[in-house]
Amino acid sequence: MSRLKKQKRQDIFLDKILNKYSNDPKENIYPKPMTDAEFVRLVTDYLLGEDWYIADPVSPAQANVYVAVAIIEKFNIKKSRS
């Protein structure tokens, strides 16, 4: 994925968050709350793709395991040795 596409995708997701959760600064300086389920869905869509899903009939707590594994497998970050 090119740098420009990554930036555009990042902007799309940031706009989604800011449009839904930002408050009027005159009302409150803090954002509106986001549920745990909304957070997991947002991060899953951003990191794994909006078409990523779990086909197994599992609870949300069990689904979190699948999401965590998929994210860690996708973003295998190796430290460089100095």
Side-chain angles (χ1 to χ4, degrees), residues 1-49:
M1 187 180 282
S2 73
R3 176 105 172 111
L4 186 58
K5 281 185 181 180
K6 284 182 183 178
Q7 183 65 41
K8 185 175 179 180
R9 188 164 182 273
Q10 183 181 48
D11 290 342
I12 290 168
F13 275 84
L14 287 172
D15 285 345
K16 283 182 186 182
I17 295 169
L18 295 174
N19 287 334
K20 186 170 182 178
Y21 299 101
S22 291
N23 274 325
D24 179 358
K26 294 175 186 170
E27 280 182 36
N28 193 343
I29 61 171
Y30 301 108
K32 295 175 186 170
M34 177 187 289
T35 67
D36 295 345
E38 289 171 312
F39 173 79
V40 170
R41 183 77 257 166
L42 181 77
V43 171
T44 300
D45 287 350
Y46 183 70
L47 295 175
L48 300 176

